[in-house]
Amino acid sequence: RGIITINKKTGEQKLIDRSQGLVDNYVITLKKMDGGIWYGAFYNGFGVIQDEQITNYTSSSVPLTFGFWTTAIEKDKDGVLWVASLWYLCKIVNGKCVEEYEYPHDIISSHQQINDILADDDGSVWVTGYATSGKDGLGLLTDKGISIVYDASGRCSSMIKDDKGNKWVGAQNGLVRFEKDSYKEISQDASGNSLKGLCNLQLDAEGIIWASRDSTLIRYDGKNATSFHVDDWILDLAVDHEDIYISTMGGKLLKFKDGNYKTI
């Protein structure tokens, strides 16, 4: 139905849809960058909402080889825009796609996609994703295309970078921590609680990792994980100062704080 904005002080909600300028009402990804809200649509491309103005990049104007299903958006330190269009990583300069890189696969299938993009401070570009051929995991963009550096048995979802420079990936085998050229799979915490299959990784102001798995919200401090049950399947998370916001399969937005949550 578009994008809903919510005023946290007043609770007022507004809907932004095609009648106000979105390329599509079916919005599947949002990201805050450079003071604007970037959005990816299912059918017609992506765009940015900034200073109450909407700038769109349509599948025909960019263009993208696979012109729909914008799954991730990122901008690097040089201002280059990187967009995942299903299983293609697209480099966009001045509103045009100048390079496309295909996520490694053995056979083309709709059951594969790039889930997340991380542009590091050193200029490297990383992607997480999955493919039916089994080449699931973390990929690094090289001069020869996307190279898989961590091959997982199952989907790799989101990727974050902590204040120590370590990269974290949520994978089927557990949390994966990358330190320079090495990585470590962390399948359980110090108490034996499982860390497998985590999605939607987020860092709060204290460096705590928050993630989701099915209908469970998980807090991980580097040693121990604490789980909080939610009465619905979790789709996405956002961290805002002391609060955690949760969107659910049932169409609800929840505000979580101090072990409790309420419906917004």
Side-chain angles (χ1 to χ4, degrees):
R1 291 188 54 191
I3 298 170
I4 297 172
T5 67
I6 302 174
N7 186 311
K8 293 192 298 179
K9 293 181 179 180
T10 65
E12 180 185 7
Q13 300 183 17
K14 293 182 179 179
L15 176 66
I16 304 172
D17 59 15
R18 291 192 65 166
S19 67
Q20 280 114 341
L22 296 188
V23 297
D24 186 11
N25 284 350
Y26 194 165
V27 176
I28 58 175
T29 186
L30 291 172
K31 182 153 190 178
K32 183 179 180 181
M33 295 190 301
D34 297 339
I37 301 297
W38 290 79
Y39 75 96
F42 186 85
Y43 290 109
N44 297 316
F46 60 97
V48 58
I49 305 172
Q50 193 159 20
D51 299 327
E52 299 184 356
Q53 300 293 318
I54 301 175
T55 302
N56 290 319
Y57 302 84
T58 64
S59 54
S60 58
S61 67
V62 174
L64 306 176
T65 296
F66 209 96
F68 66 88
W69 209 329
T70 304
T71 57
I73 302 173
E74 174 73 304
K75 187 177 285 189
D76 66 21
K77 61 183 181 63
D78 297 321
V80 174
L81 198 61
W82 297 89
V83 173
S85 180
L86 205 53
W87 59 79
Y88 285 96
L89 176 66
C90 307
K91 180 180 181 180
I92 296 175
V93 179
N94 297 325
K96 298 296 181 181
C97 181
V98 297
E99 295 283 349
E100 286 186 321
Y101 307 92
E102 201 167 2
Y103 190 83
H105 60 83
D106 293 332
I107 56 173
I108 290 288
S109 170
S110 60
H111 297 290
Q112 61 192 66
Q113 71 178 54
I114 294 173
N115 289 323
D116 203 1
I117 308 169
L118 190 148
D120 209 346
D121 296 335
D122 60 5
S124 59
V125 177
W126 302 77
V127 296
T128 62
Y130 66 97
T132 53
S133 57
K135 293 182 180 297
D136 310 335
L138 176 66
L140 173 64
L141 183 61
T142 70
D143 56 358
K144 296 181 180 180
I146 297 175
S147 176
I148 299 297
V149 297
Y150 170 75
D151 196 352
S153 59
R155 302 182 184 187
C156 279
S157 58
S158 53
M159 183 178 188
I160 56 176
K161 183 179 178 181
D162 64 23
D163 55 6
K164 297 179 181 178
N166 299 320
K167 301 176 185 69
W168 295 80
V169 176
Q172 197 75 14
N173 296 337
L175 274 177
V176 186
R177 185 181 68 221
F178 289 83
E179 301 178 17
K180 296 182 180 179
D181 297 326
S182 64
Y183 68 86
K184 179 181 180 180
E185 288 182 353
I186 308 172
S187 60
Q188 59 185 24
D189 71 355
S191 301
N193 299 306
S194 175
L195 296 173
K196 294 183 178 182
L198 299 189
C199 302
N200 302 317
L201 302 189
Q202 296 282 336
L203 277 175
D204 67 16
E206 298 178 352
I208 302 297
I209 294 177
W210 293 84
S212 68
R213 181 176 55 224
D214 300 338
S215 59
T216 303
L217 176 68
I218 296 172
R219 178 188 186 274
Y220 179 64
D221 62 8
K223 292 184 179 180
N224 295 297
T226 306
S227 298
F228 305 92
H229 177 71
V230 177
D231 294 331
D232 200 351
W233 194 285
I234 298 174
L235 291 181
D236 206 356
L237 302 179
V239 176
D240 181 15
H241 304 297
E242 297 179 352
D243 301 317
I244 311 294
Y245 291 87
I246 304 167
S247 64
T248 73
M249 183 75 78
K252 293 181 179 180
L253 180 65
L254 309 177
K255 179 179 178 181
F256 178 89
K257 186 175 182 179
D258 299 329
N260 301 298
Y261 58 86
K262 66 176 182 180
T263 299
I264 296 177

